[in-house]
Amino acid sequence: MGRLVIVSNRVPVPKRGETPAAGGLAVALKDAFSSRGGLWFGWSGTASPEPADLVRHARRGGVDYAVIDLSQEAYDGFYAGYANSALWPMFHFRLGLLSYDRGQARCYKLVNQRYAEKLLPLLRPDDTIWVHDYQMIPLGAELRARGSKHRIGYFHHIPFPPWAVFSAMPGGEELISNLLAYDLVGVQTQRDLTGLVDCMAQGTGMKVRPSGQQAGGEIRFRGRRTRLGSFPIAIATEEFAAVAEQSVASREVRRFVESLAGRSLVIGAERLDYTKGLPERLRGFGALLENFPEHRNNVTYLQIAARSREDVESYKDLKREIETLAGRINGDYSEADWTPVRYVGRTQPRDMLAGYYRRAQVGLVTPLRDGMNLVAKEYVAAQDPSNPGVLVLSRFAGAAEGMPEALLVNPLDAEGIGEALHAALVMPMEERRERHGAMYRRLCENSVTGWARSFLETLEGQETAEAPSSRAAALSMPQPRLMARSDSTSSASASAVSTGSQVAAISTAFARRPR
Ligand code: F6P
C-alpha cells in the first residue's frame, strides 16, 4: 500500500521532541500514518512580503511534513480574500456577507496551482492523496492537469449548501466542476450530501440517476468516476473523557469552580466567528434571566471565544458586538457578588477546557451553521456519567444529526434558547443520564480513527464495517432527491438517491449544460 499524502491549508508541524497536537486531524490520521507512512503538505502559516520559493521539510514521529510560505499578496487574496470573505460566508449560507472580487478569485486559483506544482515532485506513483477543505477545492483538478493519476479524495469540513445558495457565487459552476477531479468527495452529514448532490446536478448540468447499488455510487464524467459520501467526523471520546476526569482535580479548575460559589455553570467555547451565533446566544442567555427570574444570581455563563481571522472585514465588528451585549446583560442583572456573563477572549488549554466542560451543567452550542461542531461532542464526552450536564445544541450544527438527545434549538430564537436553558437547568437527574448515556454510547461507537479509515477505505475501494453505524442517528433526516435537468438530450426524470449507505448511490449520464 502506498503512502498517505494529506493536504490541508494549515499544517500542524510538531516542534522537535513534541508529540503531535492532541486534537483535530493529527489524531484522526495517527493510525493511518503509522501503518503506511505519510506526507503532510500545505501552508506553513507564515505570510511574508517576499517568501522563499522553497518547500521546507521536517520529519516528526515517522511523518514527513512539507510546507510553503505565502506571500502577503497571496495571503490577502487567497486566505483573507476569496477563501474567508467569499467561500466561507457562502458555504455557511451567509450571502449578505459574501464579498467577491475577481482578483481574489484568481489569486485562490493561483495559490492552488502553486500547491500542485510544489506537491507533484514530492509524490510517488502509488500514493493516495487526501485533500482537506474549501481552501483547496481546485487542487485535485490542478494535479490532474499536471498528469497526476493518483487516487485523490477531498473532504469538505464545513456545511455544503444547495445550489440555490451556491449559485450566488460568481464562477460557481467552475468551482463545482473542480470536484469532478476527485475520486471521492466527502461531506459531514446527510444534509450536506443533499446540498452537494444538488450542486453537482444543477451546477454541472449533468443528468443524475441513482445507481441502484446498495452502498456506493458514482458520477461518471469523461471517463472518470467521482463518488460522493457523508462521513461525519468524530472525536477521541474515551481519551477526552479521561482528560476531563483528570482535569477537574487540577488546581486551576478547582479554583474556577470555587469562584462560582455553588452556582450552576453554562459554558460555550469556540473561535470568534460570525457563524457561531455568539450575539444570538448572548441574547438567549439574557432571555433566560429575563423570563425565568429564579435563575438570577444562580447561574453563570462562561463564554470562551478565541480571536480568529481578525484581518477579515466581516470579523471586525463581531468582537465589539459581543462585548457590548455581555456588558449590557451584566449591567442589567449583576449583583455585587455575581457577574452573569464571564467572557474570555483567548484560547484556553485543551485539558483545562475539558475540566470546565465537566463542571458545567449546560453546554451551550448554538452556531447559525456548522459543518459538525466538535465542541458539542467534547462537552458530552467530558461529562460525569453519574451526574451529567445537558447539551443545548443548534439544529443547524452538523452534530445535531447524530445527537437527537440534545435539546435542539433554533439559534435565532432567543426566547427558545432561554427556554431550553431553563429546561436544561431544571432537568431531573434520570432524564439527564438517559440523554447523556445515549449520546455518549454513540460517540464511542464512532472513533476518530474510524472516521479516517472509513474515508480512506471508500477512497481506495473497500467498504468499512464501521461506516454504516456512524449514521445510526441520522435516519430521521430527509433523504436527498436528485432532480434531473431537462434538456434536449435527456429525459426529465427526478430520482431519489438510495440512502442509509455510506456513499450516495449515483450514476450519471452526462450532458454538458450549454453555457
Ligand atoms: O473547520 C474549518 C476551518 O476553516 C479549517 O479548515 C481550519 O483549519 C479552521 O477552520 C481554522 O480556521 P483558520 O485556519 O482560518 O484559522
Side-chain angles (χ1 to χ4, degrees), residues 7-77:
V7 187
S8 65
N9 185 43
R10 286 183 194 270
V11 180
V13 185
K15 295 210 172 72
R16 200 175 288 283
E18 214 180 60
T19 47
L25 265 187
V27 172
L29 300 169
K30 212 167 83 193
D31 282 5
F33 274 146
S34 65
S35 62
R36 59 200 286 185
L39 169 68
W40 196 330
F41 177 88
W43 178 38
S44 63
T46 303
S48 46
E50 300 220 355
D53 194 37
L54 290 177
V55 179
R56 281 182 281 126
H57 295 266
R59 188 169 171 80
R60 304 276 188 274
V63 179
D64 291 313
Y65 294 86
V67 295
I68 52 178
D69 297 343
L70 288 181
S71 67
Q72 189 59 45
E73 198 188 345
Y75 174 89
D76 293 342

Side-chain angles (χ1 to χ4, degrees), residues 9-10 43 79 84 88 132-135 157-158 271 308-309:
N9 185 43
R10 286 183 194 270
W43 178 38
Y79 174 80
N84 286 320
W88 179 267
H132 287 265
D133 232 355
Y134 61 100
Q135 301 94 341
H157 288 252
I158 62 176
R271 277 188 312 108
S308 167
R309 304 178 187 167

Side-chain angles (χ1 to χ4, degrees), residues 462-486:
Q462 317 145 245
E463 296 298 335
T464 168
E466 187 174 2
S469 71
S470 66
R471 228 153 333 301
L475 300 176
S476 60
M477 288 304 294
Q479 306 302 344
R481 288 196 67 80
L482 305 184
M483 299 303 296
R485 287 187 67 84
S486 166

Side-chain angles (χ1 to χ4, degrees), residues 107-354:
C107 188
Y108 173 76
K109 202 168 170 174
L110 284 174
V111 168
N112 274 275
Q113 284 169 355
R114 179 156 174 259
Y115 279 13
E117 280 156 15
K118 297 288 179 193
L119 176 59
L120 211 57
L122 308 179
L123 297 176
R124 300 176 190 159
D126 59 348
D127 284 343
T128 291
I129 305 169
W130 187 2
V131 177
H132 287 265
D133 232 355
Y134 61 100
Q135 301 94 341
M136 303 285 158
I137 291 172
L139 186 67
E142 296 298 342
L143 287 167
R144 299 281 183 227
R146 287 162 180 76
S148 164
K149 300 270 188 291
H150 299 88
R151 271 179 206 281
I152 315 180
Y154 169 78
F155 186 76
H156 189 80
H157 288 252
I158 62 176
F160 212 107
W163 184 242
V165 173
F166 199 119
S167 56
M169 176 67 99
E173 284 90 350
E174 186 183 340
L175 208 55
I176 276 293
S177 301
N178 281 164
L179 292 175
L180 295 171
Y182 295 104
D183 298 296
L184 174 62
V185 177
V187 290
Q188 298 272 18
T189 64
Q190 289 292 321
R191 181 163 53 200
D192 297 323
L193 188 56
T194 307
L196 170 64
V197 165
D198 183 47
C199 288
M200 283 293 212
Q202 299 206 57
T204 61
M206 298 168 188
K207 189 178 173 203
V208 183
R209 289 196 208 104
S211 73
Q213 292 170 24
Q214 202 262 327
E218 62 201 35
I219 289 176
R220 287 184 182 275
F221 179 58
R222 294 183 181 158
R224 294 199 43 72
R225 282 177 0 144
T226 299
R227 303 176 83 190
L228 311 177
S230 89
F231 301 84
I233 199 162
I235 61 164
T237 304
E238 276 124 341
E239 186 241 292
F240 197 79
V243 172
E245 196 176 351
Q246 233 180 17
S247 169
V248 276
S250 71
R251 203 151 51 95
E252 292 85 352
V253 175
R254 274 193 289 131
R255 210 176 51 207
F256 167 67
V257 172
E258 272 164 33
S259 77
L260 296 171
R263 295 183 183 91
S264 298
L265 173 66
V266 172
I267 194 164
E270 46 261 296
R271 277 188 312 108
L272 188 54
D273 193 299
Y274 55 82
T275 63
K276 302 295 180 186
L278 290 168
E280 295 78 4
R281 189 181 309 174
L282 278 158
R283 288 191 195 99
F285 184 69
L288 170 79
L289 299 181
E290 182 59 32
N291 300 334
F292 300 92
E294 63 269 39
H295 295 296
R296 293 181 197 165
N297 209 346
N298 284 321
V299 60
T300 296
Y301 166 29
L302 171 63
Q303 177 62 55
I304 295 163
R307 288 184 205 162
S308 167
R309 304 178 187 167
E310 291 178 278
D311 36 11
V312 178
E313 208 46 52
S314 44
Y315 287 69
K316 285 188 179 146
D317 296 335
L318 184 63
K319 187 164 162 281
R320 212 167 316 121
E321 188 183 1
I322 291 167
E323 286 165 0
T324 306
L325 276 166
R328 193 174 307 152
I329 295 172
N330 285 341
D332 286 350
Y333 297 102
S334 283
E335 299 289 344
D337 65 344
W338 172 60
T339 308
V341 181
R342 296 187 190 181
Y343 171 64
V344 179
R346 296 177 307 280
T347 46
Q348 297 296 296
R350 188 169 173 269
D351 53 347
M352 211 188 285
L353 259 187

